[in-house]
Amino acid sequence: MTQSHLVEIRDLKKYFPAAHGQMVRAVDGVSFFIERGETLGLVGESGCGKTTVGRCLLRLIEPTSGEIRFDEQDLLALRRGEMRTLRRRMQIIFQDPYSSLNPRLTVGEIVAEPLIIHGANNRQARRERVAELLRVVGLDPDYARRYPHQFSGGQRQRIGIARALALNPDFIVADEPVSALDVSVQAQVVNLLQDLQERFGLTYLFISHGLAVVEHISTRVGVMYLGKLVELAPAEAIYRKPLHPYTQALLAAIPVPDPEARRERAHQTQQLGGDVPTPLAPPSGCRFHPRCPHAMEQCRAMEPPLIEIEPGHWAACFLNQPEVKS
């Protein structure tokens, strides 16, 4: 792990037990790093395992196997007390601003809760900190006396962001933080997260089900499919030259205002057929091959490794690997 890497996971797996002795392979061998101060966008359809990756990373759920390192510390080797101390530096913004805020607590109590848990006993200092945090996220400090039901979805998410900032973290997992919001509000929240990153030097794992949302906030983008990382590259490269057919299909599904471009993308999208297979019994070989318009016999028999095709651009697809091209 280099000095610039704040987070690194290697061969992360998380299996959940199911009926008849089966296992749901939610995350099945994912590896990546996140550099200090960057945003890694993690994208994929519902059920691909991206939220499970984020929660394993914070040890909100325990991985089945693998390695997770944060600032050169092995998280899986830490005891409960050590992990609790480290959690001051690692926070999460939840997807649903309606269910993630306790309706029985005032906004002030919600934002102050992390401070209380971590030993901030001075009431006046807590009130001042809460007022400061509400100002930082664009809310009136007087809102501290109100309850969550008195706010819109966008305002509630700002409250959740204020809570995540309470302990001055270095790293935040943003778990689809705008997916439950109106489109008109999404851009405001994304812009706020970018401003906060610049102001406080934050590092983000930004989880989303769509490439359109992460385009402007991400430094690099990772694409997951059925528990696997299938492509990882700088954001510009992902949008300019996607290498994996699944990434190409996700990009083709993004609405565009140009009618000609819409027709072309619609044609590309139609080539992606079928439903997402179950993680209880993933397909052999490449997990994407049953839906891939370019699937070859090799794709059905072997799992393509995630390799560096171009500098900094990784993909798990035989179409892009030299031995197949030749």
Side-chain angles (χ1 to χ4, degrees):
M1 184 169 182
T2 71
Q3 289 294 325
S4 62
H5 295 176
L6 181 63
V7 175
E8 186 171 359
I9 66 174
R10 294 178 184 170
D11 198 26
L12 181 69
K13 296 181 181 180
K14 179 59 183 178
Y15 298 167
F16 294 98
H20 310 298
Q22 292 180 298
M23 301 297 287
V24 176
R25 300 180 181 182
V27 179
D28 200 9
V30 169
S31 301
F32 61 75
F33 64 84
I34 308 175
E35 295 184 358
R36 296 175 190 275
E38 81 162 337
T39 298
L40 177 66
L42 195 59
V43 177
E45 292 169 290
S46 296
C48 72
K50 56 191 184 297
T51 291
T52 303
V53 168
R55 295 188 177 224
C56 284
L57 207 160
L58 299 177
R59 281 188 64 186
L60 298 178
I61 55 177
E62 294 294 329
T64 302
S65 64
E67 182 180 355
I68 304 173
R69 301 188 71 83
F70 178 80
D71 201 10
E72 302 188 3
Q73 295 185 73
D74 183 355
L75 291 193
L76 301 184
L78 298 181
R79 298 184 180 91
R80 180 178 295 182
E82 295 170 324
M83 190 64 212
R84 180 172 175 173
T85 301
L86 192 62
R87 280 216 173 95
R88 295 178 66 96
R89 301 178 59 195
M90 310 168 68
Q91 294 294 312
I92 185 169
I93 300 167
F94 294 99
Q95 175 179 357
D96 188 351
Y98 294 90
S99 63
S100 63
L101 303 180
N102 189 332
R104 295 181 176 86
L105 299 181
T106 65
V107 167
E109 291 169 332
I110 289 168
V111 176
E113 194 170 20
L115 300 170
I116 296 169
I117 290 171
H118 286 271
N121 297 318
N122 186 306
R123 245 182 227 188
Q124 181 59 32
R126 285 203 307 268
R127 279 196 292 266
E128 291 173 0
R129 177 63 174 158
V130 168
E132 178 192 1
L133 289 165
L134 291 177
R135 278 193 291 267
V136 161
V137 299
L139 297 176
D140 191 323
D142 288 340
Y143 290 174
R145 301 185 187 92
R146 300 185 186 179
Y147 288 85
H149 73 270
Q150 296 176 277
F151 296 93
S152 68
Q155 289 173 319
R156 291 186 196 205
Q157 196 60 294
R158 288 174 185 264
I159 295 165
I161 293 169
R163 178 177 57 185
L165 292 173
L167 298 170
N168 292 314
D170 299 310
F171 174 63
I172 293 178
V173 173
D175 184 10
E176 300 201 43
V178 299
S179 64
L181 305 178
D182 293 340
V183 174
S184 60
V185 181
Q186 289 182 1
Q188 297 174 20
V189 174
V190 169
N191 289 338
L192 172 63
L193 291 171
Q194 288 179 299
D195 292 342
L196 294 172
Q197 182 175 40
E198 185 175 343
R199 181 171 177 177
F200 298 114
L202 297 169
T203 302
Y204 291 142
L205 174 63
F206 193 101
I207 296 168
S208 174
H209 61 263
L211 278 166
V213 175
V214 303
E215 180 174 2
H216 299 294
I217 194 172
S218 298
T219 314
R220 290 181 301 130
V221 175
V223 180
M224 285 190 67
Y225 183 80
L226 208 62
K228 294 281 188 180
L229 195 63
V230 298
E231 188 161 1
L232 178 65
E236 181 186 355
I238 284 281
Y239 292 93
R240 176 176 46 83
K241 187 183 176 183
L243 297 179
H244 197 282
Y246 179 60
T247 310
Q248 294 165 7
L250 291 180
L251 282 171
I254 298 174
V256 290
D258 183 352
E260 289 299 322
R262 268 207 307 272
R263 278 193 284 272
E264 175 63 22
R265 285 191 171 187
H267 172 68
Q268 294 174 10
T269 307
Q270 288 167 5
Q271 295 177 348
L272 180 57
D275 298 320
V276 180
T278 172
L280 275 170
S284 60
C286 173
R287 295 187 178 189
F288 186 61
H289 86 257
R291 304 174 70 196
C292 181
H294 309 292
M296 304 173 289
E297 192 58 39
Q298 185 177 10
C299 305
R300 299 176 179 87
M302 297 173 57
E303 182 179 316
L306 184 70
I307 65 171
E308 192 171 19
I309 309 298
E310 299 175 356
H313 197 150
W314 300 69
C317 179
F318 289 126
L319 287 173
N320 298 292
Q321 297 180 8
E323 61 271 20
V324 176
K325 285 182 179 179
S326 59

